[in-house]
Amino acid sequence: MTDLSAPIKPSAMTTEAHSPGGALHSLVIGLTAFLTVVDLFATQAILPALTRHYGVTPAAMSFAVNASTFGMAVAGLVVGILSPHIDRRTGILFSLLLLAIPTSLLATAPNLAIFTTLRVAQGLCMASAFALTLAYLGEHCSAMDAGGAFAAYITGNVASNLFGRLISAAAADGLGLAWNFYVFAALNLAGAALVYFTIKHVQPMQVTAGTASPLAAMFTHWRDPRLRAAYGIGFCILFAFIGTFTFVNFVLVRPPLSLGMMGLGFVYVVFLPSVVTTLLAGRVAAHLGPRPTIWGSLAVAGTGLPLMLVPHLGAVLAGMVLVGIGTFFAQATATGFVGQTAVDNRGIASGTYLACYFCGGLVGTAVLGRLFDAFGWEACVAGVGSALAAAALLTIDLKR
């Protein structure tokens, strides 16, 4: 297999990974992330259409769409605990194969309850692959290379937010809502194929369990104030991200902006700068340290919030760009920090981080959805700002 991290021994490399090895491996890492989580937020691009299709409120439909974060939180925690006993390649491969099943069934979901259940099932599969890949990177990267590897993986996540939404909007607009989900099921199978061909040639990884039980290891991680702070930061980051990029869809389709479905899809080119900037997160964090990096990232995100209250498309888009850059940069830094700080049982540490991260998304959907329905977009933005401020306070406890 082509190892997804650096350094790589020549005997383990495929023929195409020689002199431009670093770029190739970053590409493979990013593409793996893209195909793993492309389903997660793509459906947000068709939220208004789904709301009309099921005849429910924006908050109810948003909660159903983002119910995948609940599945991801549960799977992240369970996979983290069982991580020492799971073969990385097999776990990632089967998670992506199974993911195609609930994705395709969403096309014919008859009501919101079944739609929500299938989204939870998607989250279980996505987080299993996600957590195992993060554990794999943490175990195979040197301390010098870990930041870049995690940044490449989060960059693939960023790209999935952009291109996933574009694909979803285009498929739904041109082929209908049902075919949208069949297209993403095909992408899930493509992700499984990529893992099959890129992990194949690496020697089986020797997974060693620590002397402590998985639960004891998890409690040990929680007692570390640095990891505890990182978990809280992850919670706040997705809380803020979900609040921004879920409910802004309803603002964009209403007067005075009044965008159509394809217009709403193309709005998400706002993630394009994040694809570039997130790649720099590992290098910046290594140079400045995690605290200044995350503080700066959160400040950038916070600067974008007032712009999103201006009733002009240009201002709203500029605000979305800044929130995207800031939250993804902070996420990449926090993810890399967890992978490097947890000396033992990194799979458990990564799984716990993901559980907290995705719990933040679920709580953010519920809390900010209520605020949006009851008090409007301004209250929702205020809630997002509060989450960013909480993350900034937690960052005080991060140390190299």
Side-chain angles (χ1 to χ4, degrees), residues 129-196:
F130 197 92
L132 289 171
T133 306
L134 286 181
Y136 182 87
L137 294 175
E139 291 158 352
H140 283 74
C141 291
S142 67
M144 292 297 294
D145 297 321
F150 284 116
Y153 196 71
I154 301 303
T155 300
N157 187 356
V158 179
S160 74
N161 277 269
L162 166 58
F163 295 106
R165 284 175 167 89
L166 287 174
I167 293 168
S168 183
D173 193 42
L175 302 173
L177 285 174
W179 272 100
N180 164 76
F181 297 108
Y182 293 134
V183 168
F184 280 92
L187 290 175
N188 301 153
L189 296 176
L194 176 66
V195 169
Y196 178 82

Side-chain angles (χ1 to χ4, degrees), residues 41 44 66 69 161 165 232-248 271 297-302 304-305 308 319-320 322-324 326-328 330-331 356-369 377 379-392:
F41 295 121
Q44 289 182 350
N66 292 315
T69 59
N161 277 269
R165 284 175 167 89
I233 291 167
F235 180 96
C236 293
I237 288 172
L238 195 59
F239 185 106
F241 181 88
I242 285 278
T244 302
F245 292 102
T246 295
F247 298 104
V248 74
F271 287 127
S297 303
L298 296 173
V300 170
L305 296 182
M308 299 180 67
M320 293 171 71
L322 292 173
V323 173
T327 53
F328 279 118
Q331 184 200 357
C356 294
Y357 177 74
F358 289 114
C359 275
L362 187 66
V363 174
T365 300
V367 171
L368 297 175
W377 177 232
C380 184
V381 171
V384 171
S386 298
L388 295 177

Side-chain angles (χ1 to χ4, degrees), residues 5 22 45 54 72 83 91 105 123 156 167 174 196 214 223 247 303 319-320 327 337 349 360:
S5 61
Y54 285 102
M72 295 196 80
S83 179
L105 290 176
I167 293 168
Y196 178 82
R223 284 194 292 269
F247 298 104
T303 303
M320 293 171 71
T327 53
F337 179 83

Side-chain angles (χ1 to χ4, degrees), residues 46-243:
I46 56 172
L47 258 176
L50 287 170
T51 302
R52 292 191 297 270
H53 178 75
Y54 285 102
V56 295
T57 66
M61 195 69 242
S62 298
F63 185 84
V65 164
N66 292 315
S68 54
T69 59
F70 174 74
M72 295 196 80
V74 172
L77 196 59
V78 172
V79 171
I81 293 174
L82 301 178
S83 179
H85 310 290
I86 300 176
D87 177 80
R88 306 306 192 225
R89 178 184 185 273
T90 303
I92 298 168
L93 180 61
F94 277 96
S95 295
L96 292 175
L97 287 173
L98 289 174
L99 176 58
I101 297 174
T103 303
S104 59
L105 290 176
L106 280 167
T108 55
N111 54 55
L112 195 63
I114 293 177
F115 185 97
T116 303
T117 302
L118 291 171
R119 285 293 286 173
V120 172
Q122 279 188 306
L124 291 170
C125 297
M126 282 187 283
S128 298
F130 197 92
L132 289 171
T133 306
L134 286 181
Y136 182 87
L137 294 175
E139 291 158 352
H140 283 74
C141 291
S142 67
M144 292 297 294
D145 297 321
F150 284 116
Y153 196 71
I154 301 303
T155 300
N157 187 356
V158 179
S160 74
N161 277 269
L162 166 58
F163 295 106
R165 284 175 167 89
L166 287 174
I167 293 168
S168 183
D173 193 42
L175 302 173
L177 285 174
W179 272 100
N180 164 76
F181 297 108
Y182 293 134
V183 168
F184 280 92
L187 290 175
N188 301 153
L189 296 176
L194 176 66
V195 169
Y196 178 82
F197 287 110
T198 58
I199 297 183
K200 176 178 177 181
H201 301 295
V202 157
Q203 292 294 325
M205 187 174 60
Q206 299 299 316
V207 180
T208 58
T211 55
S213 68
L215 281 176
M218 182 182 297
F219 288 129
T220 299
H221 291 154
W222 274 105
R223 284 194 292 269
D224 186 331
R226 299 172 301 166
L227 289 175
R228 195 165 58 240
Y231 298 157
I233 291 167
F235 180 96
C236 293
I237 288 172
L238 195 59
F239 185 106
F241 181 88
I242 285 278

